[in-house]
Amino acid sequence: MQVMKFGGTSVGSPERIREVARLIDDGKPKIVVLSAMSGTTNALVEIANYLYKKNFDGANEKISQLEQKYFGVVDELFTTQKYKELGIELINSHFSHIRSFARDMFTMFEEKEILAQGELISTALMNYHLQETGRQSHLISALNFMRIDKSGEPDDYYIRENLQRELKQCGDYYLIITQGFICRNAMGNIDNLQRGGSDYSASIIGAAVNAEEIIIWTDIDGMHTNDPRIVEHTHSIPELSFDEAAELAYFGAKILHPTCVMPAKLANIPVRIKNTMEPSAQGTIIKKDVPKVPIRAIAAKDGITAIKIKSDRMLMAHGFLRKVFEIFETYETSIDMITTSEVGVSVTIDNTKNLEPIVNELHKYGTVEAEGDYVIICVVGDLHSNSKGFGGTILSALNDIPIRMISYGGSNFNVSVLVKSEYKSQALNCLSHSIFTDEK
Ligand code: ASP
Ligand code: MG
């Protein structure tokens, strides 16, 4: 069994939906996980925001706009009267459900339910299209098997048992369609796996059915050696280890959602990234054993704030770091990079929602400086195989750039340096030129 996931752009128009139908109809049994059509989840978020503010006119206008878009899709996608009617019925029923939330009580629960409509619609449209074109497909609802526990983690046992039951009911259909992103929570309410979470769904499903491969179809030919928007002549990386992919997904390479790697890694199921616009391109395969290379890729993460806490009390003291970290924990702010000296510690964060109270509390322990507008430049590779010279290569490439922090040795797969945003492009290019000599 294969699991294939298609993102919002891949199902973003009637033409793309037809293309996906052709791609999946290759005779091999598979579960197909779909995102909402591109733009839909954002529009649903906007609608929910209007409803929170009780701006019913604003919400209704947005709802009608989105509804019209879907009537257009139905009209273009289906060719027979029967399926045009089924399509219209489908859109009517989802949009009257969305409209029913325009009432005084609007909470997080209702918002989650509204957000789920995007994936429910895209999968139903795909299923109708497959049937109209004579392909054997079966739609199963992720709400019947995908579930997170009280701490927001996938409930693996529940998912496996319930997915198996759903699959048994499908009989011998070989194309099974389901939604990415949406799930139920521990209380049974509709919930989701966070924005961009369809990759995660695919990986959880792949692990639950012990798939031979999880294929993430997107609109780029795999993970690249560097950011193709900033550096010329980057190329897609044919093979990556799970650990390297996890580092890269977190840092900038928005191709794969960072959470997606873990379930596949634990179940040891290869993840392949392929390009819907260029299906014959090889893409990137992520798996356990890959030939080691010293440096695999370079990535950047924007919007970083650096915080430095300096204190004479830190000298020879124990427990200082715990106190500092506790403050970040209280404000649910995760730390990305950290460097220490005898009299100070520097950390970086990307979520500055609680920066002010964090800084105020840190003042208890010393002088504090917080400064935004940084980027983390991250070099991913295998430090084991080339521990000599790895740091030297990176630092000499960045010779002309002021570096604020360096983090080496946190894992065997990544070296990170923190520089001001204005140096991002220069840093990525200098590293590329000295590491991947063909990217000059
Ligand atoms: N549709 C959801 C989003 O836009 C989930 C996904 O596409 O992965 O975030
Ligand atoms: Mg995505």
Side-chain angles (χ1 to χ4, degrees):
M1 176 83 95
Q2 271 182 344
V3 173
M4 283 192 173
K5 179 256 167 178
F6 293 85
T9 337
S10 303
V11 292
S13 67
E15 187 41 45
R16 307 294 326 147
I17 293 176
R18 282 189 209 109
E19 181 56 31
V20 169
R22 281 191 285 272
L23 279 173
I24 60 179
D25 188 14
D26 60 1
K28 292 190 198 142
K30 57 179 66 69
I31 302 178
V32 179
V33 180
L34 301 182
S35 291
M37 292 180 77
S38 51
T40 298
T41 312
N42 285 343
L44 294 170
V45 168
E46 270 184 63
I47 291 166
N49 286 340
Y50 279 125
L51 293 176
Y52 273 122
K53 292 184 205 132
K54 308 215 184 309
N55 179 345
F56 299 127
D57 291 340
N60 282 326
E61 196 185 316
K62 196 76 210 171
I63 295 170
S64 300
Q65 264 174 26
L66 192 62
E67 187 182 38
Q68 283 313 310
K69 181 188 136 174
Y70 275 100
F71 283 134
V73 171
V74 164
D75 192 48
E76 213 183 309
L77 179 63
F78 300 114
T79 50
T80 58
Q81 196 53 30
K82 176 180 163 195
Y83 280 93
K84 278 186 197 287
E85 275 167 24
L86 283 171
I88 291 170
E89 214 174 282
L90 175 86
I91 302 308
N92 279 337
S93 99
H94 283 281
F95 279 84
S96 69
H97 190 50
I98 296 174
R99 283 201 177 85
S100 74
F101 293 107
R103 55 182 190 234
D104 278 336
M105 250 312 261
F106 191 78
T107 67
M108 220 172 65
F109 296 113
E110 281 85 21
E111 176 181 10
K112 300 264 171 77
E113 210 172 324
I114 288 192
L115 294 199
Q117 304 308 309
E119 271 72 10
L120 291 169
I121 297 174
S122 67
T123 46
L125 288 174
M126 176 62 80
N127 190 45
Y128 280 155
H129 171 64
L130 291 165
Q131 291 173 354
E132 188 185 38
T133 50
R135 291 146 164 141
Q136 297 251 307
S137 67
H138 204 281
L139 177 65
I140 61 176
S141 175
L143 300 177
N144 292 347
F145 65 86
M146 190 58 84
R147 190 175 170 118
I148 48 176
D149 62 20
K150 280 200 200 101
S151 45
E153 295 295 321
D155 188 338
D156 292 328
Y157 180 76
Y158 180 98
I159 295 167
R160 183 167 306 127
E161 294 292 301
N162 287 278
L163 178 54
Q164 293 298 355
R165 187 203 57 230
E166 291 287 314
L167 290 176
K168 272 200 198 99
Q169 286 169 6
C170 297
D172 51 7
Y173 287 103
Y174 92 101
L175 293 176
I176 311 291
I177 314 295
T178 193
Q179 301 84 21
F181 179 57
I182 65 173
C183 63
R184 289 191 188 273
N185 61 23
M187 276 113 63
N189 299 317
I190 294 183
D191 210 318
N192 61 58
L193 301 173
Q194 315 277 333
R195 293 302 306 272
S198 292
D199 295 346
Y200 195 22
S201 303
S203 181
I204 295 168
I205 292 171
V209 299
N210 203 14
E212 73 205 43
E213 198 167 75
I214 298 159
I215 307 176
I216 307 284
W217 287 90
T218 172
D219 47 11
I220 179 168
D221 58 345
M223 296 248 206
H224 274 232
T225 48
N226 206 326
D227 189 332
R229 291 163 305 184
I230 296 176
V231 176
E232 280 180 34
H233 312 301
T234 66
H235 50 81
S236 81
I237 308 165
E239 292 177 309
L240 275 173
S241 71
F242 286 118
D243 294 307
E244 290 167 340
E247 301 273 13
L248 263 187
Y250 180 71
F251 287 97
K254 292 213 173 58
I255 299 164
L256 200 62
H257 197 267
T259 52
C260 160
V261 180
M262 194 48 90
K265 178 185 168 180
L266 290 176
N268 193 16
I269 297 168
V271 178
R272 195 183 284 277
I273 300 170
K274 297 270 288 175
N275 187 355
T276 22
M277 316 282 175
E278 212 191 324
S280 58
Q282 171 191 27
T284 297
I285 182 146
I286 302 162
K287 53 186 186 179
K288 186 160 161 238
D289 295 314
V290 296
K292 290 186 164 79
V293 298
I295 296 180
R296 193 83 69 181
I298 302 155
K301 189 167 165 68
D302 298 307
I304 303 294
T305 296
I307 305 171
K308 187 192 290 167
I309 307 111
K310 264 191 354 204
S311 168
D312 292 339
R313 277 189 286 159
M314 188 174 162
L315 199 64
M316 319 269 303
H318 50 75
F320 181 83
L321 286 178
R322 182 180 56 76
K323 290 179 199 147
V324 166
F325 289 157
E326 257 171 16
I327 295 173
F328 288 89
E329 194 185 341
T330 309
Y331 290 99
E332 294 181 347
T333 301
S334 66
I335 294 172
D336 283 330
M337 268 176 88
I338 150 166
T339 53
T340 61
S341 84
E342 265 315 310
V343 290
V345 49
S346 276
V347 301
T348 70
I349 58 173
D350 64 355
N351 172 2
T352 51
K353 204 173 116 208
N354 292 314
L355 182 62
E356 211 183 299
I358 289 174
V359 169
N360 287 342
E361 290 208 34
L362 286 171
H363 272 129
K364 282 195 284 203
Y365 301 115
T367 56
V368 185
E369 284 166 35
E371 198 186 348
D373 209 20
Y374 280 99
V375 266
I376 297 176
I377 305 287
C378 151
V379 181
V380 171
D382 186 356
L383 272 77
H384 278 314
S385 66
N386 188 27
S387 39
K388 268 193 209 149
F390 196 102
T393 309
I394 294 167
L395 292 184
S396 60
L398 299 175
N399 207 17
D400 294 331
I401 297 173
I403 293 175
R404 167 74 175 76
M405 285 166 71
I406 303 172
S407 174
Y408 183 108
S411 85
N412 286 325
F413 307 100
N414 147 8
V415 175
S416 296
V417 290
L418 188 72
V419 302
K420 272 276 166 189
S421 306
E422 64 201 85
Y423 293 106
K424 173 181 171 181
S425 162
Q426 193 186 343
L428 290 177
N429 276 287
C430 289
L431 281 166
S432 248
H433 296 172
S434 67
I435 294 167
F436 306 114
T437 39
D438 54 333
E439 287 182 9
K440 279 201 179 120

